[in-house]
Amino acid sequence: DQGPGHALEKIGQLIDTGLSRLGRPDDFRIGVSCGGPLDRVRGVIQAPPNLATWDDIPVKDILEQRFGVPCAVENDANAGAIAEHRYGAGVGSSDLIFLTMGTGFGAGLVLNGKLYRGASDMAGEIGHVRLTDAGPVGYGKAGSVEGWVSGGGMAQHGAEFLNSAVRAGETSMLTEIAANRAITSKDIGQAALSGDQVARRIVSITGEKLGRALAVLVDLFNPERIAIGGMAPRLGSMLFDPALEVMRREALAQSTAVCQVVPAQLGERIGDVAALCIAQGL
C-alpha cells in the first residue's frame, strides 16, 4: 500500500545490513524472485496482482545502480522450480514441475535439468487453462485451473458450497465467519484440519480439480516429479488423496507410473532460496 519506493528502500536497507554482517563477497550478485507479469530480461516488474502499484518498476536497474553489481530477475514460479530442483523435493530428478498454490496458481518447469521458459517466457501458465465452462474466476477466466485450485478460487467455490450446505441443514464453523466477512482459503483449511466436514468437502473438491490439472501436466510433459508448494503441504492428504485419485484416472498410465507427486520441501524458505538461486545463475 505504501508503494514500490518504500519497499525498495527497505530491500536496500536489508541488503546493507547483510553486507555489514557478512562483509562484501568478491562474487556479489543480487537475485529477485517476483510474481509476474514481469520482463525478466530488462528486469521490470509490471504490476502483478499482489503488487498492483508496481507498474513497470525497473527493479534490476534500481538495485544495480545502488550496489554496483549484477542483478537478475525471475518469475517466482520459475525461481521456485529451480530452488526445489536444487535444494528441495526435486533433488535427484531431471524433470520437475513445481506448482505454486497460493494467491494464484502457476507452474515452473525444469525439463532435462534445465528451466524451460517458452518462446516468450510464458511457459507453465497452467492456471490459465480452462477446466470447466463456468465456475470460480481466476486469471481473468471463469472455470480456469486458477479459479478452482488457487487460494482465492477455493474461497470462491467454498463460499458457494457453504451456502448450499447451510440450506441443506448442515452445520459448519465457517458459518459464523461468513456471517461477518468473506471466508478465505485459510479459514477453510483451518476448519478442515479441525475436522469440519463441510470444510473438508470443499478441500476435496479443490483436490479433484487439482487432479485434473495434474493429469494435463503429466500427459504433456511426462515428468519424474511434481512438487506442490503453498497451502498444499499444510492440507496434506485431504488435498493430495483426491488429487491423485483423479490424476491416475485421467492421465496416461505409462506416464502416471513414473511420476511422483510430492509436497514441496522448502516451505516458508522458498522465496529466500529462490531469490538466491537466481543470484547464483541458472
Side-chain angles (χ1 to χ4, degrees), residues 154-183:
M154 180 190 283
Q156 288 181 63
H157 73 79
E160 185 173 336
F161 187 90
L162 175 64
N163 289 336
S164 298
V166 170
R167 287 195 297 269
E170 296 186 65
T171 59
S172 170
M173 63 180 65
L174 295 172
T175 305
E176 185 176 349
I177 298 172
N180 297 296
R181 59 170 174 80
I183 61 171

Side-chain angles (χ1 to χ4, degrees), residues 79 82-84 87 266 269-278 280:
I82 293 295
E84 285 288 344
Y87 303 113
L266 295 175
R269 296 186 299 133
I270 191 163
D272 301 333
V273 179
L276 289 168
C277 286
I278 300 310
Q280 285 177 330

Side-chain angles (χ1 to χ4, degrees), residues 77-277:
N78 288 344
I82 293 295
E84 285 288 344
H85 186 250
R86 288 183 185 171
Y87 303 113
V91 171
S93 67
S94 62
D95 296 280
L96 171 75
I97 297 176
F98 169 67
L99 298 176
T100 61
M101 189 174 178
T103 306
F105 189 83
L109 310 174
V110 176
L111 306 178
N112 293 322
K114 296 182 179 179
L115 180 66
Y116 180 74
R117 294 192 178 94
S120 61
D121 282 354
M122 291 295 288
E125 296 294 346
I126 184 67
H128 194 250
V129 173
R130 193 186 299 277
L131 281 184
T132 56
D133 289 338
V137 177
Y139 213 141
K141 183 185 287 186
S144 65
V145 172
E146 185 165 302
W148 281 108
V149 177
S150 68
M154 180 190 283
Q156 288 181 63
H157 73 79
E160 185 173 336
F161 187 90
L162 175 64
N163 289 336
S164 298
V166 170
R167 287 195 297 269
E170 296 186 65
T171 59
S172 170
M173 63 180 65
L174 295 172
T175 305
E176 185 176 349
I177 298 172
N180 297 296
R181 59 170 174 80
I183 61 171
T184 66
S185 59
K186 184 177 180 179
D187 296 327
I188 295 168
Q190 289 176 337
L193 290 169
S194 297
D196 186 283
Q197 292 303 305
V198 172
R200 291 179 75 90
R201 294 213 302 280
I202 295 169
V203 172
S204 181
I205 292 169
T206 302
E208 291 168 7
K209 301 302 185 186
L210 172 62
R212 292 183 63 180
L214 293 176
V216 171
L217 293 169
V218 168
D219 283 349
L220 281 176
F221 297 108
N222 190 201
E224 284 181 76
R225 210 166 294 166
I226 299 176
I228 312 178
M231 62 184 179
R234 293 190 287 273
L235 294 172
S237 61
M238 285 190 299
L239 181 82
F240 278 88
D241 286 353
L244 291 174
E245 181 180 346
V246 172
M247 184 193 83
R248 290 168 183 147
R249 185 174 68 238
E250 294 287 333
L252 290 167
Q254 300 96 319
S255 299
T256 302
V258 298
C259 180
Q260 296 175 301
V261 179
V262 298
Q265 290 184 358
L266 295 175
E268 300 302 324
R269 296 186 299 133
I270 191 163
D272 301 333
V273 179
L276 289 168
C277 286

